[in-house]
């Protein structure tokens, strides 16, 4: 079975460039979405413990293996993520086991540290209390940050995970400084880095650093999805222009979403669009080629660069931590703990 366009990771495994995202897919929608995506031909799924829908993802997978002729586990690249309340080294493997159990799988293709931030100990061993709050369960409380666990501690535990359960390991939402810290302390270079990336947040320096270290980039929120009610990038006139021009040139409809996904993959990166809408799942799977002129026009949207996913600003409950060094995070009272 074809794996589509794919890239070799530094771990020796191949990752398909196009994947299917599952954040904000409700449990009721996600099993159908996963099944439809696999039926459409997607070979890469992006999951996470914190999305709260992995048990339903498992149902979609089960149905797909039963009903899609010839589809086998090894045909699909499956990523999931260690949540912030699971960073203490002694529970990292238990957290992976819990994740595999939720998904009904024997192994993940890629296991990522979701954020370079440790939350306080959850109420159960694997950190089931995903958002421990200051002031108990007061809705206005902040999440309790645990400054006693560093990203190096957690990364060391990740490097000890059996390859039979996590074929490749990587990180997400890490900056160059965070990557430097974990690589210097362990000598183990993450296979992949998953980051917010779209024309409004090109992350050129981080991309260049990762290219030098042979760390694969996966882009999330490629349509500019955000929790701030800002319209998606598919509505921007510059992106629509490119789509219209390509539609005329090729004689078949090219959509703004396809333009953004093609842009995200320039340079061999992966991208993981999320949709629970059947027509969009198909639309996002269709690949198109961009000319240098198209790329320039897409990038013209980003004269002012803008990060949407800043947990200090966007998340409720709030995380009082400066992760990215973004202007908006300056008042935060916690920093990422590189080592303790
Ligand atoms: N590592 C991290 O911290 C992190 C953070 C964010 C996301 N992610 C991963 O990346 C994935 C994608 O990012 P995302 O979910 O933030 O957002 P996204 O893929 O940029 O956008 C999703 C939104 O776009 C809509 N959409 C999908 N296809 C469309 C199309 N063809 N035309 C118009 N609208 C379309 C979806 O609506 P419908 O679903 O209603 O169709 C949904 O509202 C996530 O699902 C998750 O797996 C990771």
């Amino acid at each position: 079975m074809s794996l589509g366009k794919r890239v070799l990771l530094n771990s020796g495994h191949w990752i398909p460039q196009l994947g299917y995202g599952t954040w904000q897919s409700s449990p009721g929608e996600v099993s159908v979405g996963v099944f439809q995506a696999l039926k459409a031909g997607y070979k890469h799924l992006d999951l996470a413990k914190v999305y709260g829908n992995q048990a339903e993802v498992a149902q979609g997978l089960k149905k797909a293996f039963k009903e899609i002729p010839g589809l086998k586990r090894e045909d699909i690249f499956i990523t999931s993520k260690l949540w912030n309340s699971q960073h203490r080294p002694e529970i990292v493997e238990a957290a992976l086991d819990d994740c595999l159990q939720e998904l009904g799988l024997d192994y993940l293709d890629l296991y990522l540290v979701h954020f370079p931030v440790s939350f306080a100990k959850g109420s159960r061993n694997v950190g089931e209390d995903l958002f421990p709050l200051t002031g108990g369960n007061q809705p206005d409380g902040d999440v309790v940050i645990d400054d006693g666990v560093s990203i190096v501690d957690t990364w060391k535990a990740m490097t000890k995970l059996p390859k039979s359960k996590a074929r490749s390991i990587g990180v997400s939402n890490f900056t160059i400084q965070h990557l430097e810290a974990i690589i210097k302390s362990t000598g183990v270079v993450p296979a992949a880095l998953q980051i917010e990336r779209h024309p409004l947040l090109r992350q050129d320096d981080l991309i260049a650093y990762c290219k030098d270290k042979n760390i694969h980039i996966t882009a999330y929120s490629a349509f500019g999805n955000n929790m701030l009610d800002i319209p998606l990038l598919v509505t921007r006139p510059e992106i629509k222009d490119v789509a219209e021009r390509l539609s005329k040139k090729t004689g078949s409809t090219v959509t703004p979403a396809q333009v953004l996904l093609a842009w995200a993959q320039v340079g061999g990166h992966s991208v993981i669009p999320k949709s629970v809408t059947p027509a969009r799942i198909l639309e996002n799977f269709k690949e198109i080629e961009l000319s240098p002129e198209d790329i320039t026009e897409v990038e013209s949207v980003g004269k002012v660069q803008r990060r949407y996913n800043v947990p200090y600003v966007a998340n409720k409950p709030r995380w009082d931590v400066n992760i990215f060094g973004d202007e908006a995070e300056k008042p935060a009272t916690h920093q990422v703990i590189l080592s303790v």
Side-chain angles (χ1 to χ4, degrees):
M1 187 165 289
S2 156
L3 283 170
K5 274 201 304 188
R6 54 190 194 142
V7 176
L8 188 61
L9 298 173
N10 67 22
S11 56
H13 297 284
W14 293 88
I15 184 170
Q17 275 188 259
L18 187 69
Y20 177 74
T22 56
W23 179 43
Q24 296 175 322
S25 300
S26 72
E29 297 165 326
V30 79
S31 62
V32 179
V34 163
F35 176 75
Q36 284 172 337
L38 293 172
K39 205 166 165 206
Y42 289 74
K43 294 287 182 289
H44 172 178
L45 302 177
D46 186 74
L47 319 172
K49 169 76 183 173
V50 77
Y51 300 162
N53 56 15
Q54 292 198 134
E56 289 76 15
V57 168
Q59 290 168 17
L61 278 169
K62 213 169 154 191
K63 182 171 155 74
F65 291 133
K66 204 166 148 201
E67 295 182 19
I68 300 173
L71 185 72
K72 296 187 293 296
R73 167 66 186 93
E74 56 268 34
D75 298 327
I76 312 171
F77 189 99
I78 301 181
T79 301
S80 190
K81 312 185 192 91
L82 178 82
W83 183 237
N84 304 352
S85 56
Q86 305 176 318
H87 275 214
R88 283 172 296 119
E90 64 275 19
I91 62 167
V92 167
E93 188 171 350
L96 171 60
D97 290 340
D98 162 72
C99 186
L100 290 171
Q101 199 198 351
E102 277 188 357
L103 290 166
L105 298 175
D106 299 330
Y107 71 91
L108 293 174
D109 294 279
L110 179 62
Y111 196 44
L112 303 176
V113 179
H114 204 149
F115 279 91
V117 175
S118 176
F119 289 171
K121 185 178 186 302
S123 54
R124 286 194 248 155
N125 269 349
V126 290
E128 279 295 335
D129 190 1
L130 301 181
F131 295 92
L133 297 181
T134 54
N137 285 327
Q138 297 301 317
D140 293 337
D142 282 352
V143 180
V144 188
I145 309 289
D146 180 357
D147 289 330
V149 181
S150 75
I151 55 173
V152 167
D153 296 332
T154 305
W155 184 244
K156 277 188 182 151
M158 291 285 287
T159 66
K160 291 182 189 135
L161 290 173
K163 295 270 177 291
S164 56
K165 292 194 226 173
R167 293 196 166 171
S168 302
I169 52 169
V171 294
S172 176
N173 297 301
F174 275 44
T175 65
I176 293 176
Q177 188 197 21
H178 308 151
L179 290 165
E180 284 277 286
I182 61 169
I183 294 169
K184 270 196 186 138
S185 305
T186 62
V188 181
V189 179
L193 168 68
Q194 188 176 122
I195 49 170
E196 178 180 344
R197 187 166 185 269
H198 41 69
L200 282 180
L201 189 68
R202 282 170 38 183
Q203 309 241 44
D204 291 344
D205 291 349
L206 186 52
I207 302 275
Y209 175 88
C210 288
K211 189 171 181 197
D212 183 54
K213 297 278 185 217
N214 196 15
I215 301 171
H216 180 71
I217 295 285
T218 297
Y220 74 69
S221 300
F223 302 142
N225 186 40
N226 61 84
M227 291 183 286
L228 307 167
D229 284 335
I230 301 168
L232 294 181
L233 284 167
V234 289
T235 64
R236 296 287 284 251
E238 300 88 338
I239 308 296
K240 285 182 169 174
D241 268 4
V242 176
E244 274 164 31
R245 192 166 62 231
L246 284 170
S247 299
K248 280 194 197 121
K249 192 168 131 188
T250 59
S252 71
T253 306
V254 171
T255 69
Q258 289 163 353
V259 168
L260 288 164
L261 295 175
W263 179 85
Q265 293 178 70
V266 171
H269 312 309
S270 287
V271 65
I272 44 176
K274 172 263 173 183
S275 178
V276 291
T277 312
R280 288 174 172 173
I281 293 174
L282 289 173
E283 175 187 335
N284 297 344
F285 190 67
K286 190 175 157 214
E287 298 197 348
I288 57 149
E289 292 293 327
L290 298 182
S291 67
E293 183 196 9
D294 300 329
I295 293 171
T296 305
E297 190 169 355
V298 169
E299 292 179 355
S300 72
V301 169
K303 287 184 193 86
V304 179
Q305 293 280 291
R306 162 113 212 229
R307 185 187 294 278
Y308 290 125
N309 289 272
V310 180
Y312 181 74
V313 180
N315 288 36
K316 286 187 185 65
R318 192 179 73 148
W319 310 4
D320 180 16
V321 55
N322 181 341
I323 301 174
F324 304 110
D326 202 85
E327 193 60 30
E329 295 174 301
K330 284 212 169 126
T333 61
H334 295 265
Q335 305 299 321
V336 169
I337 307 298
L338 302 179
S339 62
V340 284

